Structure formats: structure tokens, C-alpha cells
Amino acid sequence: MRRALSAFGTVALPLALLAAAWWLSHRPGALPPAAAVLLPGAVYAALAVALLIGLAFHRGRIVFAALAVMLGYTAFGRFVGAAPESFAARAAFAGLCVFAPVVLAALAWLEERGTVSVHALPRLGAIAAAGAFVWWIVATGRTATVDWAYAPLVELVIDTPVPQLGLVSIALALAAIGIAAAVQRSAVVAGLGWALAAFGLALHYSAARGAMPIFTAAAGLVLVVAVLQETYRLAFRDELTRLPSRRALNERLKAVGRRYAVAMIDVDHFKRFNDTHGHDVGDQVLRMVAARLARLGGGGQAFRYGGEEFTVLFPGKDAGEALPHLEALRAEIEEYRMAIRAPTRPRRKRAGKRRRTGASSAQTVSVTVSIGVADRSARHDNPEAVVKSADRALYRAKRAGRNQVVS
């Protein structure tokens, strides 16, 4: 269910917004006259909401993206909308087509640094530099530069006012944002891609009455959706292990039904392991355990409970049915040997190969887990009681020597 909601917010809803924008811009009379009059203000309202929500949730990428789109829309109205055939209009339009995608792609790959910090200055500087460059082209009357920007690169069968250099910029930026979204698994980055798609459509259909404000407003709404989706994801998913969080577990337990089992899992001697090998290696251990929990059989649903503790929920099963799957998990973790980079090993892979001379320089370590499992019964007839019962079973496993499953 949670994955379906994530896909809806990341793909289906932005796509629906773009489809609605296309429908509104291609149907004469779809907007009543009063709404058409208010449309330019609605654009700034949508972008302002995105900007304010980005500020409230410290999402600098959304803030700067909304600001960049807002400045681009303002420049379009100031130059292109006022005199579309003028030199200034041609220069401004080409600048929007080329530089807006570059700015959004750069934001996708820059690390999130919030909004009120020294890191905001280079981002604002990049947006200002793009605008200043276009202004300089207009102010100095560099017609040759503008003609070069509009020069065809290949023969195209589609009819679009966007210069081919702009089409290349949009295509490359969309590809770069798509890769960044896949690598970072970020709804905000995906939102930047949808906002670029909306703004690209605004530029493509800019000659149609009302298309530019409608698609730009859609870009602002997409950015709002991206912030809300990312906030939802952070509230219900653990960043380190990428498992659902304790909050997600609590919600799931409210609708689990009358037959279920709960397992509590704890990494043995984790504090001592952390003190010996460092927190980075400790994080690596937690991610390793989480990865095996994520593919646990028997219909088990894994959650990060907190610290080195995890929880597995088995809907529709009792403790006896869950035990074989938990025992297999315990054995798999016990047998896993994790390599630790030696302190003296060079960071560069090639240099490390030269130093190894045929022998591995990595130390290997292993960890074990203790597991307690309980199911719903007449004695434990609510989720809190079942979780507490599983927790008591976990501590019995620890007192019995650890690295075992206790029901």
C-alpha cells in the first residue's frame, strides 16, 4: 500500500497534472473568462506555495527551482509576451530553453544544503549568472550569438518554437535528473524532472493562448507535490536502512487483523562492535541486516524499530509458522562475512590492488542476531501486548546466550 502511494505521488499525480494542463491549454473555453483573467496570478501563487513549503521543510532544491521557474516565467512575460518577434524576445526565449534545464539538472545533482546557509549563495549565483548572461546578450545586441542558438542541428519532423539547442539541453537535463532520481531515490529530484517537463511543454506550446501560464502553474504544483511526497517518505522510512520506520509499523499494526505474529530482532553486542570498529562499520552492519530482512520469506514485513533493533510483522501467521523463516534469517546473518577496509589500505582502487600483492588486505567480521517472536492470543490480544511479548522473548534469547530464536 505504501509503495502504491509512493508511486502515485512520484509518477501518477505529476503525470495527471501535466495531462490536465495539456487539456486546459488545448480546449478553447475550458477556462471561464474570470479564471482566465486570474491565471497569471495563479502561476505566481503556485510557485510561491512551492517556495514557501520548500523553506518550511528546508528543501533548498525546491526553493531554488521554484525561484528559477518564477524568474523564467517573469522574463517570458516581460520580453516574449510583450513583443514576440523582437530581438530581445528571441534572445530571452533561447536563454530560457537552454539555461532553465541546466539549472534544474544542476539542482538535482547538488547535495541538499537547506536554504539559509552559505551554500545558498552559489546556487543563487548560478541562477543570477544565467539571467545576467541573457541580459548581456540583449544589452549588447549580439545577434550573431542568438542566430547561432537558433541554428538547426539536424532536420526535425516536429514543429516547435524551441530551438534545437534548447531541445538538446532539455533532453540531456531530463536524462541527468532521471539518473539522479534513480541514484538518490528522492521524490524531490523526481519532482525537478516533472517540473522541467512541464516547463518544457510551456515553452513548446508558448504560442497557444494561455499555455505558458497553465503549464508553468503545473510546474509549481508538481514541486509542491514533490515536497509533500518526500516529507511523507521521510516520516515513514528509515534513511539508513531504507526499511519502513517505527511509525510505519505502528500504523500497520492498527490494520493487521486478528491473526498475526511479531518478531523483535536485535544485533548482538552492537555497542561493543561500534566501539571496536567505528560507527561507519556499525552502519554497514545495520544495512546488511536490513537487506536480509527486506527479502525475508513467509510474508514477513520488516521495519526499523530503533537503534540496532528491527521488527518483522507476519500477517495471517502464528509464531510457529514464522519460526522457520526467522531461523533461516538468523543462520544467514551468522554465516555472512563482512569485509572491513584496512586503515592503511589506499582509498583508490588501483593503488589498493598494487599494495595487496595477491593477498586480501581487508579484515572480515561477522555478527549475530537474537530474535524473539510472539503471536496474538487471548492473553495478548492487542498489538502493544504482542510487541511486548516478542520483546520479552528477545531478552530471553539474549540471556540464554544470544544468536538464537525464542518464541
Side-chain angles (χ1 to χ4, degrees):
M1 180 63 179
R2 206 168 301 283
R3 286 184 180 179
L5 287 173
S6 178
F8 176 77
T10 307
V11 179
L13 188 53
L15 191 59
L17 287 171
L18 265 62
W22 185 91
W23 184 81
L24 288 171
S25 63
H26 282 73
R27 281 184 64 90
L31 288 174
V37 171
L38 296 174
L39 189 56
V43 176
Y44 287 107
L47 291 170
V49 169
L51 194 150
L52 290 173
I53 288 182
L55 283 170
F57 289 99
H58 306 289
R59 291 291 172 264
R61 291 191 277 200
I62 293 293
V63 170
F64 299 122
L67 185 60
V69 173
M70 188 181 294
L71 292 175
Y73 177 73
T74 303
F76 180 89
R78 170 68 177 81
F79 295 103
V80 184
E85 301 301 324
S86 67
F87 168 73
R90 295 181 73 239
F93 189 78
L96 283 176
C97 294
V98 173
F99 291 119
V102 172
V103 168
L104 292 177
L107 289 173
W109 279 99
L110 288 173
E111 188 177 355
E112 180 61 73
R113 297 286 191 173
T115 53
V116 186
S117 69
V118 294
H119 301 287
L121 297 178
R123 291 153 174 78
L124 288 172
I127 297 171
F133 180 76
V134 176
W135 177 85
W136 175 73
I137 293 291
V138 173
T140 55
R142 296 184 175 274
T143 55
T145 303
V146 175
D147 290 340
W148 173 80
Y150 278 92
L153 303 175
V154 294
E155 284 215 23
L156 287 180
V157 294
I158 61 170
D159 184 20
T160 177
V162 179
Q164 290 188 19
L165 187 63
L167 292 176
V168 171
S169 179
I170 292 171
L172 291 177
L174 283 173
I177 294 173
I179 294 170
V183 170
Q184 300 175 35
R185 299 182 184 180
S186 167
V188 163
V189 176
L192 295 178
W194 286 110
L196 174 55
F199 198 63
L201 289 170
L203 295 170
H204 174 66
Y205 291 116
S206 56
R209 184 176 178 82
M212 188 71 183
I214 288 172
F215 277 108
T216 307
L221 292 176
V222 163
L223 293 175
V224 172
V225 169
V227 176
L228 298 178
Q229 176 74 9
E230 184 78 355
T231 304
Y232 174 86
R233 185 185 67 82
L234 290 175
F236 288 94
R237 187 163 294 274
D238 176 62
E239 279 294 284
L240 176 66
T241 62
R242 299 201 180 276
L243 290 177
S245 66
R246 185 170 177 175
R247 178 179 293 184
L249 169 66
N250 291 338
E251 284 208 354
R252 182 68 182 89
L253 285 171
K254 292 176 183 177
V256 71
R258 298 183 61 81
R259 187 169 185 265
Y260 59 92
V262 173
M264 298 296 292
I265 300 159
D266 187 87
V267 180
D268 295 329
H269 301 298
F270 185 73
K271 185 180 184 304
R272 188 169 69 191
F273 187 92
N274 250 355
D275 293 340
T276 303
H277 300 287
H279 291 286
D280 288 344
V281 179
D283 288 347
Q284 190 179 345
V285 166
L286 294 177
R287 284 193 290 265
M288 180 272 291
V289 173
R292 277 140 189 81
L293 281 166
R295 59 174 187 258
L296 181 67
Q301 301 167 5
F303 301 83
R304 172 91 182 272
Y305 195 76
E308 67 271 25
E309 272 194 299
F310 299 87
T311 304
V312 178
L313 175 64
F314 291 91
K317 288 185 168 54
D318 59 26
E321 293 170 305
L323 277 172
H325 304 287
L326 295 170
E327 179 58 36
L329 170 73
R330 183 207 61 76
E332 182 183 4
I333 292 173
E334 180 188 19
E335 292 168 4
Y336 185 78
R337 296 293 179 270
M338 191 173 68
I340 300 178
R341 183 183 296 272
T344 58
R345 179 183 168 188
R347 289 284 176 183
R348 294 182 180 275
K349 186 176 180 181
R350 191 173 298 176
K353 284 184 176 180
R354 287 197 298 265
R355 290 272 302 272
R356 283 196 293 270
T357 62
S360 173
S361 62
Q363 176 190 358
T364 61
V365 296
S366 62
V367 295
T368 61
V369 294
S370 298
I371 304 174
V373 59
D375 53 26
R376 182 186 176 278
S377 63
R379 185 179 176 187
H380 307 110
D381 61 350
N382 63 72
E384 287 185 9
V386 177
V387 170
K388 287 181 180 178
S389 179
D391 207 39
R392 287 194 292 269
L394 167 64
Y395 281 97
R396 288 199 301 273
K398 285 186 171 296
R399 286 195 299 269
R402 295 181 168 83
N403 189 27
Q404 54 189 287
V405 183
V406 171
S407 173

